[in-house]
Amino acid sequence: MERLDKRVAGNLTRFYVVALCVVALLTISGLFLIRRTIRNLNHDSRVVNVAGRQRMLSQRLTKLAILKVNNIEHHDSVRFGALLALWKDSHEDLLSKKLPVDRGFVTWKSPPLDTMFHQLTPVFDRIYNNLSIIGSDTSGQGGRERALAEVLASEPDFLSRMNSIVFQFDKESFERLENLERIEWILDLMTILVLVAEGLLIFRPVVNTTRRVVRMLTESEDALQLSNQKLKESNNQLVETQKELLRLEEEKYELQLTEDRVRAGALIEGQEEERKRFALELHDGIGQMLTGLKLHAEKLKAVQFHDEKHQKRFDQLVVLIQDIIQTTRQISFNLMPSVLSDFGLASALKLLCQQAADLSGVKVVFEGETGERIQMSRPMEIGLYRIAQEALNNAVKHANADEIKIKLEQNKNHVVLEIADDGKGFLISNLKSEEGQFLTRNGMENIRTRTQLLHGEMQIISKVDSGTRLVVQVDL
């Protein structure tokens, strides 16, 4: 079957390429001849127009010469000298067989026309010389009258010869058309012969080969159906195997997710413990030492310094110590706020909003009940606080918002934390990967991980120039 396909394809391809090449060659040849003849005919019409114009110009010049010699007033606005120069230039162009048209030259080759133009030249020169005498201001009246007589005597001969030239141009154009018609008939006949040969040598073998191939396909149909039946049974077994592999992969993936959650939970728990320890060290250790240093420095204020510069530097030192104490307290609060363990999540979030507003200059509002503490586990309190802290930092740094709102409420056995701003917003599609997972951008991965560890649900709602809203819901 394969050898038959190759043999048939090779033979048909060769015949078909040859037939197409011949048809294309004949078609291109016909188009070339037609375009060339049309261009020549167009040039012939230009030459005939110029020749006809020469007749008109000679008659007009004769009329103007008569009016000029007899001093008769007329309304012809053209200048006699310019008209005479145009007549002479056109005759020289026709005589030299180069007629300027547009950007090129029209040329022709015809011995009869060359002979006729050379015979016309003496008559033209005689008329031109006498017209030049008439147009000259230095010629006398008698000379002009004799020149006019010569012009009137030569004009019929000039017009007769120009008529013969025009008729000769028309005759040669008609002969070229007849020649083109004969060539077109020959090309059409050759094209028909090529098409007939193509039908006999190409399409007929294609029909025979197709009939033979269809018969072979029909004979092999039963064998193909049997093979398909066996293949179907094999496919069923393969599908069952694939389902089993898919189930195993899903179990493996779930196990890996569980391990990742446990590992992330342990890591976050270790971080929180380390933050708590470090916050206590800052507050109880370095904070107390700085407070003592501040007390000693304030006691030294009573000492009078002899140098005013020393007094100024000492005052700056006291202010610097106070700034260090305040910064240390702020770092300790960010690491692990004591108000979170003493008064609960609502109070800690309210204090967080106040501090963020003071530091950033952005209006930060907290909505929630701070009087009654929501009963939840300590890991849940810390997780929700870190989520609010991360979201608030993102809003302050990236949202360009005028107002940020943090809302905490308890709905039956759910806790809902919402952080909303009126900033520039963003496209959610730019925040997700192809698999739909949130990318590590602006702390969103940390928020998503903490939400998963709390077995909660996270939702982000944002549009460009319409703000952003983050909602986290956790079961108590």
Side-chain angles (χ1 to χ4, degrees), residues 423-428 461-468:
K424 60 183 181 180
F426 58 90
L427 293 176
I428 301 298
I461 303 171
S462 180
K463 291 183 180 180
V464 178
D465 299 329
S466 297
T468 303

Side-chain angles (χ1 to χ4, degrees), residues 183-205:
I183 294 175
E184 279 296 313
W185 276 108
I186 295 173
L187 292 177
D188 293 340
L189 182 60
M190 293 178 64
T191 303
I192 293 173
L193 293 176
V194 171
L195 293 176
V196 172
E198 185 177 358
L200 295 176
L201 299 177
I202 297 178
F203 292 105
R204 186 176 179 183

Side-chain angles (χ1 to χ4, degrees), residues 299-311:
K299 290 181 180 179
L300 291 177
K301 283 185 178 181
V303 178
Q304 296 295 328
F305 292 92
H306 300 286
D307 192 348
E308 184 178 355
K309 292 183 179 179
H310 292 169
Q311 181 68 37

Side-chain angles (χ1 to χ4, degrees), residues 90-102:
S90 299
H91 178 76
E92 291 178 351
D93 291 336
L94 291 172
L95 183 62
S96 62
K97 298 185 295 184
K98 290 184 178 180
L99 185 66
V101 176
D102 296 334

